[in-house]
Amino acid sequence: MSTVGGEIFSVVRTDSQTLARCGILRTAHGIVHTPAFMPVGTQATIKGLLPHLVEGTGTEIILSNTYHLLLRPKPETVAALGGLHRFMGWHKPILTDSGGFQVFSLAQLTRIEERGAVFRSHLDGSLVELTPERAIEVQELLGSDIAMVLDHVVALPNERSVIEDAMERSLRWAERCQKAHQRKDQWLFGIVQGGLEPDLRLRCVEELVQMGFDGYAIGGLSVGEPPAEMYRILDVVAPSLPAERPRYLMGVGRPIDLLEAIARGVDLFDCVMPTRNGRNAMAFTEAGPLRMRNACHERDPRPMDPTCPCLACTFSRGYIRHLFMAREMLGPILVSLHNIAFYQRLLRQARAAIEAGSFGDFLEEKRATWSRTTMEDEDELENRSS
Amino acid sequence: MSTVGGEIFSVVRTDSQTLARCGILRTAHGIVHTPAFMPVGTQATIKGLLPHLVEGTGTEIILSNTYHLLLRPKPETVAALGGLHRFMGWHKPILTDSGGFQVFSLAQLTRIEERGAVFRSHLDGSLVELTPERAIEVQELLGSDIAMVLDHVVALPNERSVIEDAMERSLRWAERCQKAHQRKDQWLFGIVQGGLEPDLRLRCVEELVQMGFDGYAIGGLSVGEPPAEMYRILDVVAPSLPAERPRYLMGVGRPIDLLEAIARGVDLFDCVMPTRNGRNAMAFTEAGPLRMRNACHERDPRPMDPTCPCLACTFSRGYIRHLFMAREMLGPILVSLHNIAFYQRLLRQARAAIEAGSFGDFLEEKRATWSRTTMEDEDELENRSS
């Protein structure tokens, strides 16, 4: 276990209406107020945004991708240039995933062996091996504040035996990751697998907690199952995890999903939705999503969200529509920036509600507001590529 | 003639070694220290750069394009959204060109009639007419601080009779523009045409000065002729223009061209080179240009230009190469930003040299330095598209 100046996590306040909690996550690059949302900087950049703009949204931690950086520019290059923080000019905390999810979602011809995953690079077709030991080595070279164990992700729905096999392999890989991990300034999180099978999930939790990780992630969700199924699994898994460790729900999700998960005791999130939807001209607002290419915005002098304090909301909807119609980079930049600001403001509001002991009311109010909008359309947009 | 709070221009200092001069250009949105360089925001955005980043380079005035905004989003839309400054969030001075050059370089099937230019939009093929009166109307709708008359630009080299015809038409159009122009908070500049024929250029100057404009531009250069030819024309034209009015060399150019023109008494410049080359991964530095995709930069921890104070020069060459290899927006953003900062720093140095009465020495030094580098390669890069 790492020792970044003492304990990794303190719960500061627990909501009186739900299992939501406010906490402080300590890392070698500073603290993070939880519940927290991590914007995704896949290739060591949050697409189109200079680091100071991301920081201006209130972002305290970002995520970057082992899989992508392994292929390009290679972790040895990042290490030679002083590590990931210095490389990308982001001096606050960074979490790196292990590549398990991308091997499942992006790589071609993936072969999972007990030794590790063997796949063809989506860039040049070359054969690459990612073992648990290499996943840790890569993350140590990158120098992230939080590293993830390599896990074996499978599609849902799937046969129970396939899910069980993958979960058990993930446990054996987690143990090898723990053994390989050396950096004392980097936390290591285990990942709970087990699909939509509550008993498999609980067995996985038990074994991971036995091994003892700095934090615990819930993986293998948001891979196509209905939100209600995800919430059902969170109901079982989140409370079974140690209260004094941070809990991270990987790759989730829509604003309502974040709040539903927070109510179930989750502390940490990442998702490409604010930035990917932003590049596709979809803006999150308090009043529901806006498609910025729509003709109705042509002469609209209002900002995307009149209640939003972000830099992008100093511009009119008419201007942002023009940027998208003219295929100007500044369109994706401004809507990505706004969407990250929207997520961070939502998380600030969530933390305030927990502090006030009224997160349940806050969640109810958001459920009611957002069910009246077309917020669910995001899914369609999200899958439209980028 | 406009009256933006008194005189448009004051010469503050004249160099003792050359015809270079420092001045103050006054506009409705503030002053500009000359010699000045205007980055180009073709479609009401300097590609990829938020306005505060452009301002951070020391930029005091930018250029935007009547031709592009006429086609999209249309000037009436910009006016409905509060004018160009508010539309694009740039609250310092803006100069708009008249569209004459783009009709020549971009439009298809252009027919020049005495009434105006008729062309097919490069966007949707629709037929558009641009008369001198419409060019002024558009620029008044945009609300730029400096408007340009509509001119008839022809390719060089060309037959003398063609150049003479176009110059004479440009004069008649300049008169119609002057008659049509109404905004009192917008200066109007005449444009000197006449190709590489000194006597035609001088006749054009004489007639324009007779009409009396707020400032004078030298147009129809940097259209393929060798730099020495351009300097020869500047030698004739610049000193023949009224000393108390700003002189603007349109669409020029390379760093050395700016200095050569300043030495001949030019005050104002615009060029797409810093941004277009930036998007193509070419960075200007004191030591000559860098191609940021080159493998030699892979593990280079140095900034693009160790002497540069810009935000982009807080990142390593290795990181910027990675961004270009990974096709990340931040690559073009950072190199564009750096290149604008390079131009603005060069202009600050030029102004300081004029203040010190030693611009001739400064120019000599730069000629010597840059002739040792491959700075001339920029031309090839500039013409490579995007």
Side-chain angles (χ1 to χ4, degrees):
Chain A
M1 194 171 300
S2 306
T3 50
V4 183
E7 284 302 304
I8 180 174
F9 189 64
S10 314
V11 175
V12 171
R13 175 73 200 246
T14 307
D15 183 47
S16 45
Q17 301 174 326
T18 69
L19 298 180
R21 64 225 201 123
C22 280
I24 301 280
L25 173 63
R26 292 180 199 83
T27 81
H29 287 84
I31 67 164
V32 177
H33 295 86
T34 67
F37 175 76
M38 303 184 279
V40 178
T42 300
Q43 302 193 105
T45 161
I46 294 175
K47 294 192 190 304
L49 300 182
L50 278 156
H52 77 275
L53 294 173
V54 179
E55 207 174 327
T57 64
T59 298
E60 294 182 327
I61 178 169
I62 63 168
L63 177 143
S64 196
N65 289 81
T66 286
Y67 171 86
H68 290 85
L69 299 177
L70 169 65
L71 300 181
R72 185 175 57 197
K74 304 193 188 310
E76 290 74 12
T77 303
V78 176
L81 289 166
L84 188 53
H85 293 83
R86 185 163 184 169
F87 185 61
M88 66 184 294
W90 175 261
H91 301 291
K92 296 197 161 199
I94 301 176
L95 179 147
T96 43
D97 70 4
S98 60
F101 183 78
Q102 282 74 31
V103 165
F104 155 72
S105 65
L106 281 184
Q108 290 144 3
L109 292 172
T110 305
R111 205 171 63 235
I112 302 287
E113 299 167 350
E114 188 55 27
R115 184 179 146 76
V118 181
F119 58 92
R120 289 208 178 273
S121 158
H122 75 284
L123 295 180
D124 62 4
S126 64
L127 218 56
V128 183
E129 190 187 47
L130 187 61
T131 62
E133 290 76 15
R134 177 65 174 155
I136 293 300
E137 183 186 25
V138 170
Q139 293 178 86
E140 293 196 342
L141 283 165
L142 296 175
S144 53
D145 297 280
I146 301 174
M148 303 300 299
V149 299
L150 184 66
D151 54 345
H152 180 181
V153 179
V154 294
L156 292 183
N158 217 321
E159 281 172 42
R160 185 180 159 91
S161 64
V162 172
I163 294 168
E164 188 167 8
D165 270 6
M167 183 273 278
E168 283 174 348
R169 179 163 303 105
S170 293
L171 283 171
R172 291 189 297 273
W173 285 2
E175 201 161 9
R176 283 166 57 190
C177 284
Q178 194 176 44
K179 206 165 158 190
H181 188 246
Q182 296 184 356
R183 276 188 86 136
K184 294 295 175 210
D185 59 350
Q186 182 182 59
W187 303 114
L188 180 64
F189 281 21
I191 305 179
V192 180
Q193 290 291 351
L196 301 175
E197 317 285 328
D199 64 312
L200 295 184
R201 287 277 178 182
L202 285 176
R203 213 170 83 211
C204 193
V205 167
E206 198 179 335
E207 299 216 25
L208 286 172
V209 172
Q210 190 77 30
M211 294 181 218
F213 286 90
D214 299 313
Y216 297 89
I218 304 167
L221 291 176
S222 203
V223 289
E225 78 287 359
E229 293 288 283
M230 177 171 78
Y231 302 157
R232 185 172 60 81
I233 290 297
L234 291 179
D235 279 332
V236 174
V237 174
S240 72
L241 290 166
E244 73 283 5
R245 297 276 175 236
R247 301 161 180 165
Y248 161 33
L249 178 56
M250 303 182 81
V252 174
R254 298 174 309 160
I256 192 66
D257 294 331
L258 268 60
L259 300 186
E260 294 286 358
I262 289 170
R264 289 160 173 85
V266 173
D267 307 301
L268 206 50
F269 302 89
D270 78 282
C271 190
V272 296
M273 194 176 278
T275 43
R276 189 158 61 182
N277 285 11
R279 292 197 301 283
N280 286 328
M282 186 281 213
F284 289 93
T285 81
E286 287 293 328
L290 297 176
R291 272 84 185 143
M292 297 311 301
R293 282 196 191 89
N294 284 356
C296 63
H297 303 306
E298 187 183 346
R299 295 193 178 191
D300 195 330
R302 290 175 298 168
M304 287 181 284
D305 192 336
T307 70
C308 177
C310 88
L311 187 55
C313 284
T314 61
F315 296 89
S316 66
R317 295 181 187 185
Y319 181 59
I320 290 168
R321 174 176 191 265
H322 162 67
L323 294 172
F324 277 99
M325 300 312 286
R327 296 172 198 277
E328 282 284 353
M329 270 190 279
L330 200 56
I333 290 169
L334 287 176
V335 186
S336 296
L337 182 64
H338 166 75
N339 284 349
I340 293 175
F342 176 89
Y343 268 65
Q344 299 300 3
R345 191 159 60 128
L346 181 65
L347 274 274
R348 280 197 300 278
Q349 291 166 346
R351 292 196 297 267
I354 298 167
E355 296 275 358
S358 60
F359 185 77
D361 299 341
F362 178 73
L363 173 58
E364 268 310 324
E365 188 195 309
K366 290 296 182 186
R367 275 181 187 145
T369 309
W370 289 342
S371 68
R372 286 195 306 270
T373 73
T374 50
M375 213 70 157
E376 64 275 13
D377 288 5
E378 297 142 27
D379 274 325
E380 173 250 320
L381 268 160
E382 193 210 359
N383 295 324
R384 194 197 281 171
S385 97
S386 72
Chain B
M1 195 172 301
S2 308
T3 51
V4 183
E7 284 303 305
I8 180 174
F9 190 64
S10 313
V11 175
V12 172
R13 176 73 200 245
T14 306
D15 182 48
S16 45
Q17 301 175 325
T18 68
L19 298 180
R21 64 226 200 122
C22 281
I24 301 279
L25 172 63
R26 292 179 199 83
T27 81
H29 287 84
I31 67 165
V32 176
H33 295 87
T34 67
F37 176 76
M38 303 184 279
V40 177
T42 300
Q43 301 193 106
T45 161
I46 294 174
K47 293 192 191 305
L49 299 182
L50 278 157
H52 77 274
L53 293 173
V54 178
E55 208 175 326
T57 63
T59 298
E60 294 182 327
I61 178 169
I62 63 168
L63 177 143
S64 195
N65 289 81
T66 286
Y67 171 86
H68 291 85
L69 299 177
L70 169 65
L71 301 181
R72 185 175 57 198
K74 303 193 189 310
E76 289 75 13
T77 303
V78 176
L81 290 165
L84 188 54
H85 293 82
R86 185 162 185 170
F87 185 61
M88 66 185 293
W90 174 261
H91 302 291
K92 295 197 163 199
I94 301 176
L95 180 148
T96 43
D97 70 4
S98 61
F101 184 77
Q102 282 74 30
V103 164
F104 154 73
S105 64
L106 281 184
Q108 290 144 2
L109 293 172
T110 304
R111 205 170 64 235
I112 303 286
E113 299 168 349
E114 188 56 27
R115 185 179 145 76
V118 181
F119 58 92
R120 288 208 179 274
S121 158
H122 74 285
L123 295 181
D124 63 4
S126 65
L127 218 56
V128 183
E129 189 187 47
L130 186 62
T131 62
E133 290 77 15
R134 177 64 175 156
I136 293 300
E137 184 186 24
V138 170
Q139 293 178 87
E140 292 196 343
L141 283 165
L142 296 174
S144 54
D145 298 280
I146 301 173
M148 303 300 299
V149 299
L150 185 65
D151 55 344
H152 180 182
V153 179
V154 294
L156 293 182
N158 217 320
E159 281 173 40
R160 184 180 159 92
S161 64
V162 172
I163 293 168
E164 187 167 9
D165 271 4
M167 182 273 277
E168 284 174 348
R169 179 161 303 103
S170 294
L171 282 172
R172 291 189 297 272
W173 285 2
E175 202 160 9
R176 284 165 57 190
C177 284
Q178 194 177 45
K179 208 165 155 187
H181 188 246
Q182 296 185 356
R183 276 188 87 137
K184 294 295 175 211
D185 59 350
Q186 183 182 60
W187 303 113
L188 180 63
F189 281 20
I191 304 178
V192 180
Q193 290 291 350
L196 301 175
E197 316 285 328
D199 63 313
L200 295 184
R201 288 276 177 182
L202 286 176
R203 215 169 80 210
C204 193
V205 167
E206 199 179 335
E207 299 216 24
L208 287 173
V209 172
Q210 190 78 30
M211 295 180 217
F213 286 91
D214 299 313
Y216 297 89
I218 304 165
L221 291 176
S222 203
V223 290
E225 78 285 0
E229 294 288 282
M230 177 171 78
Y231 303 157
R232 185 173 59 83
I233 290 297
L234 291 180
D235 279 331
V236 174
V237 174
S240 73
L241 290 166
E244 72 284 5
R245 297 277 175 236
R247 301 161 180 164
Y248 161 33
L249 178 56
M250 303 183 82
V252 175
R254 298 175 307 161
I256 192 66
D257 293 332
L258 268 61
L259 300 187
E260 294 285 358
I262 289 170
R264 289 161 173 85
V266 174
D267 307 301
L268 206 51
F269 302 90
D270 78 282
C271 190
V272 296
M273 194 175 277
T275 43
R276 188 158 62 185
N277 286 12
R279 292 197 300 283
N280 286 328
M282 185 281 212
F284 289 92
T285 80
E286 287 293 327
L290 298 176
R291 272 85 186 142
M292 297 312 300
R293 282 196 191 87
N294 283 356
C296 63
H297 302 306
E298 188 183 345
R299 295 192 178 192
D300 194 330
R302 290 174 299 166
M304 287 180 285
D305 191 336
T307 70
C308 178
C310 89
L311 188 54
C313 284
T314 61
F315 295 89
S316 66
R317 295 181 186 185
Y319 182 59
I320 289 168
R321 174 177 190 265
H322 162 67
L323 294 173
F324 277 99
M325 299 312 285
R327 295 171 199 277
E328 283 284 352
M329 271 190 279
L330 200 57
I333 290 169
L334 287 175
V335 186
S336 295
L337 182 64
H338 166 75
N339 284 349
I340 293 175
F342 176 89
Y343 268 65
Q344 298 301 2
R345 191 159 60 129
L346 181 66
L347 274 275
R348 281 198 299 278
Q349 291 166 345
R351 292 195 297 267
I354 299 167
E355 295 277 357
S358 60
F359 185 78
D361 299 340
F362 177 74
L363 173 59
E364 268 311 324
E365 188 195 309
K366 290 294 181 187
R367 274 181 188 144
T369 309
W370 290 341
S371 68
R372 285 195 306 270
T373 73
T374 51
M375 213 70 156
E376 63 277 11
D377 289 5
E378 298 142 26
D379 274 325
E380 173 249 320
L381 269 159
E382 193 209 1
N383 294 323
R384 194 199 282 172
S385 98
S386 99

